Amino acid sequence: MIGKWPQRLLSRLHSRLRIDIYRVSKEEGATEASTMSGHTLPCCKIGPSILCADLSCLADECRKMIHSGADYLHLDVMDGHFVPNLTFGHPVVKCLRPKMPDIYFDMHMMVQNPEKWVESMADAGANQYTFHVEACEDIPALCRKIQESGMRVGVGLKPGTPVETILPYSDLFDVVLIMTVEPGFGGQSFMEDMMSKVQYLRTNFPYLDIEVDGGVGPNNIDVVAEAGANMIVSGTAITGASDPSQVIALLRNSVENAIQKSQLER
């Protein structure tokens, strides 16, 4: 067990850096994260929701999203218990990883007992493990388990969950995911009132990665960006577009403009 620690620590560091390194190499000259007092200011990252793609050719769809300019892939795992739908698990992730070894996998774990799948997802090659606070009984223990497995720690909040719920554990997270629809249900409209959570987090945690997921697209990206989100999950708005690269570019432009504006106002 002791011999595994150096590798786990290296894997942890690699997971934390990979998404930013990929952005720097992919888009030279773009506005990237700046370093201040040992902290890293958040930069724009666009992650298509792969569940909205054609799952019959998943690897090809994933490659298409990356080639269209995506920074990472958002993979929804649903267990039929925490949410009513059922999707895929770690075997699918493990099959995808060899086909795209350098792509950042953001696992959105909409599952009961999220601690059960940490090791399996780490072994499959996941980079970020985002669990829902509503499904977790021991948040510090789960965060430690995720960290020790070499993945970044994400915590998700359903629309009805107050942001204050996670404040006692704020130093344990790398990413906070604000849901702007009820997880597990399709055909919902974007909940703009969830932006108050994003605004609160950005004001109080300026170096935090804040992710927004649910009905996000060109029609509402300005609201999301101005609230302070920097990690944007978008489903059919990207995967269903005739030219996904145009949609990704539009989303990125809005977020990067908002980040630049906020930095000028500091």
Side-chain angles (χ1 to χ4, degrees):
M1 184 70 178
I2 294 176
K4 292 183 179 180
W5 270 99
Q7 181 58 42
R8 283 185 171 184
L9 291 174
L10 287 172
S11 179
R12 166 78 170 155
L13 179 61
H14 189 210
S15 286
R16 290 179 65 89
L17 294 177
R18 179 182 289 172
I19 189 168
D20 291 322
I21 291 171
Y22 182 73
R23 277 283 288 118
V24 171
S25 64
K26 183 167 65 69
E27 193 171 331
E28 182 179 356
T31 301
E32 298 297 340
S34 302
T35 301
M36 294 177 60
S37 304
H39 295 283
T40 302
L41 291 171
C43 64
C44 173
K45 303 155 191 172
I46 309 297
S49 178
I50 296 306
L51 190 62
C52 299
D54 183 352
L55 299 181
S56 68
C57 47
L58 185 56
D60 289 341
E61 289 286 287
C62 290
R63 291 192 192 96
K64 178 182 177 181
M65 293 299 103
I66 296 301
H67 292 159
S68 295
D71 301 294
Y72 67 104
L73 299 176
H74 183 86
L75 295 93
D76 291 308
V77 178
M78 304 182 189
D79 65 353
H81 296 286
F82 181 71
V83 293
N85 289 328
L86 186 67
T87 58
F88 48 77
H90 60 275
V92 171
V93 179
K94 195 164 189 174
C95 289
L96 280 176
R97 175 51 77 198
K99 298 179 183 298
M100 44 199 68
D102 298 321
I103 304 308
Y104 191 94
F105 288 173
D106 165 25
M107 308 308 305
H108 183 187
M109 305 298 295
M110 289 175 271
V111 299
Q112 292 285 11
N113 305 315
E115 65 280 357
K116 181 179 179 180
W117 306 108
V118 172
E119 292 177 351
S120 296
M121 281 299 178
D123 179 67
N127 302 104
Q128 178 176 313
Y129 192 96
T130 301
F131 66 92
H132 269 269
V133 66
E134 302 89 358
C136 182
E137 295 184 359
D138 191 338
I139 292 174
L142 178 53
C143 290
R144 286 194 298 270
K145 188 171 185 178
I146 296 169
Q147 291 169 350
E148 291 170 6
S149 295
M151 296 181 289
R152 295 184 83 214
V153 179
V155 61
L157 297 178
K158 295 169 68 174
T161 302
V163 71
E164 291 79 9
T165 304
I166 63 170
L167 296 185
Y169 317 102
S170 59
D171 60 331
L172 302 178
F173 311 134
D174 297 300
V175 181
V176 175
L177 167 62
I178 300 299
M179 293 299 299
T180 46
V181 297
E182 194 66 34
F185 296 89
Q188 300 177 76
S189 299
F190 171 79
M191 298 179 181
E192 187 172 340
D193 56 336
M194 293 299 106
M195 292 304 96
S196 62
K197 296 181 182 180
V198 176
Q199 291 168 344
Y200 178 88
L201 290 171
R202 181 54 68 217
T203 299
N204 291 279
F205 304 97
Y207 304 104
L208 180 68
D209 274 327
I210 303 175
E211 189 173 35
V212 170
D213 178 16
V216 180
N219 292 336
N220 50 38
I221 186 59
D222 288 345
V223 173
V224 174
E226 289 168 8
N230 67 293
M231 293 183 70
I232 308 299
V233 178
S234 184
T236 53
I238 294 177
T239 62
S242 57
D243 187 351
S245 63
Q246 288 188 354
V247 178
I248 290 174
L250 186 154
L251 300 179
R252 187 183 309 286
N253 184 64
S254 179
V255 175
E256 290 185 342
N257 285 343
I259 290 174
Q260 291 176 5
K261 179 180 177 182
S262 69
Q263 290 177 359
L264 291 173
E265 293 173 348
R266 288 180 183 276

